[in-house]
Amino acid sequence: MRQTDLPAPAHSAHRVQFYETDAAGLVHFSWFFRYMEEAEHALWRQAGLSIHAPDGEFGFPRVSASFDYHSALRFEQEFDVHLRVASLSKKTIRYTCLLSDGDRKIATGTIVVACVRRRGPEPMAAVEIPADIRTRLQPPDAEG
Amino acid sequence: MRQTDLPAPAHSAHRVQFYETDAAGLVHFSWFFRYMEEAEHALWRQAGLSIHAPDGEFGFPRVSASFDYHSALRFEQEFDVHLRVASLSKKTIRYTCLLSDGDRKIATGTIVVACVRRRGPEPMAAVEIPADIRTRLQPPDAEG
Amino acid sequence: MRQTDLPAPAHSAHRVQFYETDAAGLVHFSWFFRYMEEAEHALWRQAGLSIHAPDGEFGFPRVSASFDYHSALRFEQEFDVHLRVASLSKKTIRYTCLLSDGDRKIATGTIVVACVRRRGPEPMAAVEIPADIRTRLQPPDAEG
Amino acid sequence: MRQTDLPAPAHSAHRVQFYETDAAGLVHFSWFFRYMEEAEHALWRQAGLSIHAPDGEFGFPRVSASFDYHSALRFEQEFDVHLRVASLSKKTIRYTCLLSDGDRKIATGTIVVACVRRRGPEPMAAVEIPADIRTRLQPPDAEG
């Protein structure tokens, strides 16, 4: 699968809220993971999906998550979140994320999520991503 | 029902975490509601109950919540949370809460929660608090 | 001062994020206070102000906050936050807030904030709200 | 510097709070980063330090953070957080973290933090970790 076959990245604009800052006057580092997830869920909606539909059969728990922080974010600052599907395996999705303010790189992150059955046995085990979800997150011509 | 019949209040000690502070250098006011709820759940555990057991039939959504703020909390400060059942009606529980640091009053709060069926019809409707929960949150001699 | 002299309320649209939900499948009640504050800060920006400018002399800590919850919010649900200045005293501002989804009332809240000097003596003491802030949050003809 | 010269890891016990869970019924993945930071600050206190003292000259912003998730955490579950200084460079500290429940591994994480002057020029630049902080986070015999 070529990178260029993957869906266009999701862009979203965000303004730093006061409750996202900490006593150092900066956005607390844990918030970047929430910004990344917010963009993931927006990407799913753009693809006509909900990652956690009320009666959905599948869930997508996080397998790993990371961020590299390049510059700080402060109260009321505006920034962009760019997220894309970097790769799709049978049972997992890997996203990469860039937070930026114009040309300034703020942070780069990655999350890997696995597909599981929401009411499946414990401990949770990864299962194949359903075809309709796979197709929507990846253009059909990438299948060949 | 006399106040003195209600269970002894729950006391818990807490230290301000960095992620609880905001850019003003103080604990963000939304956290006080979480401290209050944390004490509520500790009170239930003391009473041998879980407010959200995995297969529990009942849930206790919040009907109202309020706080009056008297002094600020800062990073790493230690404080106490005192919570008590202020009154029990057929379908609701009202708690009062005091946050203090020794003799210094930090904040006083109130929450009212209603009993609902977790898998009941929408919109949620308050139902009677089950007798075993009522008994545990209130000593038997308060029944008479 | 007549209610009608106060600035038009701020309206903002919000979509429930996954990190705002809890294990009951609903938005955690502490989040409503954050939505209310988010609307307050948007109202200040509409009035050409920042409630926490980098070198600002004044801060606006919360004196009290409350919410009455009427119906639940779930993941990805959209709702509106309406906030208005309900009254301005010499040293405090009182806001009222309505969360709604079309005609459905979700919650109603109140916050009172006091004006303090950010680098003033401890404990913090309320001071008069500076004239330029007061004027911007309240039209000039309300002064008479 | 040998690993064994580094201070004993910090252990802390934690119980999952309701506000840490999400609509999937699990602790939201962003919380693991807060648990890790909470343990870092406890390690500093054990070493007689505060990572953000009121008039402290230095700050320790995060350079990178990551977690691998092995099993889920649910409401009221108890778990342990083990954190250790994995390595100290001139300007940065790298910690590794394990969350476990008895023998069950829940998650493993890493954070790298850099030392900066809190009231230094923008953008922030890493500076040498002061000797007294370095000494306390690392036993004297590791210096040789």
Side-chain angles (χ1 to χ4, degrees):
Chain A
M1 188 179 66
R2 291 159 295 149
Q3 283 287 82
T4 52
D5 290 332
L6 291 171
H11 290 253
S12 56
H14 196 96
R15 184 192 296 277
V16 173
Q17 299 302 328
F18 198 63
Y19 54 76
E20 297 166 359
T21 62
D22 62 30
L26 312 176
V27 169
H28 191 263
F29 80 111
S30 61
W31 271 95
F32 290 69
F33 293 93
R34 295 178 172 190
Y35 299 150
M36 180 160 58
E37 191 192 55
E38 199 167 326
E40 177 200 18
H41 298 176
L43 183 73
W44 280 57
R45 284 192 298 271
Q46 276 177 35
L49 298 165
S50 169
I51 203 169
H52 191 80
D55 300 308
E57 192 180 349
F58 299 95
F60 293 85
R62 276 80 253 272
V63 172
S64 65
S66 67
F67 253 106
D68 290 303
Y69 302 94
H70 305 297
S71 47
L73 280 173
R74 292 170 196 279
F75 177 52
E76 293 191 330
Q77 188 177 336
E78 291 176 279
F79 62 96
D80 291 303
V81 182
H82 312 260
L83 180 97
R84 65 179 307 143
V85 175
S87 59
L88 268 165
S89 78
K90 275 205 169 142
K91 300 180 177 179
T92 65
I93 308 169
R94 185 172 171 274
Y95 305 91
T96 53
C97 183
L98 167 67
L99 270 67
S100 62
D101 180 8
D103 287 342
R104 191 164 70 100
K105 191 158 73 168
I106 295 166
T108 47
T110 300
I111 359 175
V112 177
V113 306
C115 182
V116 303
R117 287 190 186 280
R118 275 165 70 179
R119 279 160 288 270
E122 293 284 330
M124 298 185 293
V127 298
E128 284 199 23
I129 298 167
D132 63 312
I133 292 176
R134 170 177 299 280
T135 306
R136 285 175 183 270
L137 292 180
Q138 174 190 297
D141 63 355
E143 304 280 348
Chain B
M1 188 180 64
R2 291 158 296 150
Q3 281 288 83
T4 52
D5 290 331
L6 292 170
H11 290 251
S12 57
H14 196 96
R15 183 191 296 277
V16 173
Q17 298 302 328
F18 198 63
Y19 54 76
E20 296 166 0
T21 62
D22 61 31
L26 312 176
V27 169
H28 191 264
F29 80 110
S30 60
W31 272 95
F32 289 70
F33 294 93
R34 295 179 172 191
Y35 299 151
M36 180 161 58
E37 189 191 57
E38 198 167 329
E40 177 200 18
H41 298 177
L43 183 73
W44 279 57
R45 284 192 297 273
Q46 276 178 36
L49 297 166
S50 170
I51 203 169
H52 191 80
D55 300 309
E57 192 180 347
F58 298 95
F60 293 84
R62 275 80 253 272
V63 172
S64 65
S66 67
F67 253 107
D68 290 302
Y69 302 94
H70 305 296
S71 48
L73 279 173
R74 292 170 194 279
F75 177 52
E76 293 192 330
Q77 186 176 337
E78 292 176 277
F79 61 96
D80 291 302
V81 182
H82 312 260
L83 180 95
R84 66 178 307 142
V85 175
S87 59
L88 268 166
S89 78
K90 275 206 170 141
K91 300 180 176 179
T92 65
I93 308 169
R94 185 171 171 274
Y95 304 92
T96 52
C97 183
L98 166 68
L99 270 66
S100 63
D101 180 7
D103 288 340
R104 190 164 70 100
K105 190 157 74 168
I106 295 167
T108 47
T110 301
I111 358 174
V112 177
V113 306
C115 183
V116 302
R117 287 189 186 281
R118 274 164 71 178
R119 277 160 289 271
E122 291 286 329
M124 298 186 292
V127 297
E128 284 198 24
I129 299 167
D132 62 312
I133 293 177
R134 172 179 297 278
T135 306
R136 284 174 184 269
L137 292 181
Q138 174 189 296
D141 62 356
E143 303 280 349
Chain C
M1 189 179 67
R2 290 160 295 151
Q3 281 287 82
T4 52
D5 290 327
L6 291 171
H11 290 253
S12 56
H14 196 96
R15 183 192 296 277
V16 173
Q17 298 301 328
F18 198 63
Y19 54 76
E20 297 166 359
T21 62
D22 61 32
L26 312 176
V27 169
H28 191 264
F29 80 110
S30 60
W31 271 95
F32 290 69
F33 294 92
R34 295 179 172 190
Y35 299 150
M36 180 161 59
E37 190 191 57
E38 201 167 325
E40 177 200 19
H41 298 176
L43 182 74
W44 280 58
R45 285 193 297 273
Q46 277 178 33
L49 297 165
S50 170
I51 203 169
H52 191 80
D55 301 308
E57 192 179 347
F58 299 95
F60 293 84
R62 275 81 254 271
V63 172
S64 65
S66 66
F67 252 106
D68 290 303
Y69 302 94
H70 305 297
S71 47
L73 280 172
R74 292 171 195 278
F75 177 52
E76 292 192 331
Q77 187 177 337
E78 292 177 276
F79 62 95
D80 291 303
V81 182
H82 312 260
L83 181 95
R84 64 179 307 142
V85 175
S87 60
L88 268 165
S89 78
K90 275 205 168 140
K91 301 180 176 179
T92 65
I93 307 169
R94 184 171 172 275
Y95 304 92
T96 52
C97 183
L98 167 68
L99 271 66
S100 62
D101 179 8
D103 287 341
R104 191 164 68 101
K105 191 157 71 166
I106 295 166
T108 48
T110 301
I111 359 173
V112 177
V113 306
C115 183
V116 302
R117 288 191 184 280
R118 273 165 70 178
R119 277 158 289 270
E122 292 285 328
M124 299 185 293
V127 298
E128 284 198 23
I129 298 167
D132 63 311
I133 292 176
R134 171 178 298 278
T135 306
R136 284 175 184 270
L137 291 181
Q138 175 189 297
D141 62 357
E143 303 281 350
Chain D
M1 188 181 64
R2 291 159 296 150
Q3 281 288 82
T4 52
D5 290 332
L6 292 170
H11 289 254
S12 56
H14 195 95
R15 183 192 297 275
V16 173
Q17 299 301 328
F18 197 64
Y19 55 75
E20 297 166 0
T21 62
D22 61 30
L26 312 176
V27 169
H28 191 263
F29 79 110
S30 61
W31 272 95
F32 290 69
F33 293 92
R34 295 180 171 190
Y35 300 150
M36 179 159 61
E37 190 192 56
E38 198 167 327
E40 177 199 19
H41 297 177
L43 183 74
W44 280 57
R45 284 193 297 273
Q46 276 178 35
L49 298 165
S50 170
I51 203 169
H52 191 80
D55 301 308
E57 193 179 348
F58 300 95
F60 293 85
R62 275 81 253 271
V63 172
S64 65
S66 66
F67 253 106
D68 290 303
Y69 302 94
H70 305 297
S71 47
L73 279 172
R74 292 170 196 278
F75 177 52
E76 293 192 330
Q77 187 177 338
E78 291 178 277
F79 62 95
D80 291 303
V81 182
H82 312 259
L83 180 96
R84 63 179 308 142
V85 175
S87 59
L88 268 166
S89 78
K90 276 206 169 140
K91 301 179 177 180
T92 64
I93 308 170
R94 185 172 171 274
Y95 304 91
T96 52
C97 183
L98 167 68
L99 270 66
S100 62
D101 179 8
D103 288 340
R104 191 164 69 101
K105 190 157 74 167
I106 295 166
T108 49
T110 301
I111 359 173
V112 178
V113 306
C115 183
V116 303
R117 288 189 185 281
R118 273 164 69 178
R119 278 159 289 269
E122 292 286 329
M124 299 185 293
V127 298
E128 284 198 21
I129 299 167
D132 62 311
I133 292 176
R134 172 177 297 278
T135 306
R136 284 175 184 268
L137 292 181
Q138 174 189 295
D141 61 356
E143 303 281 348

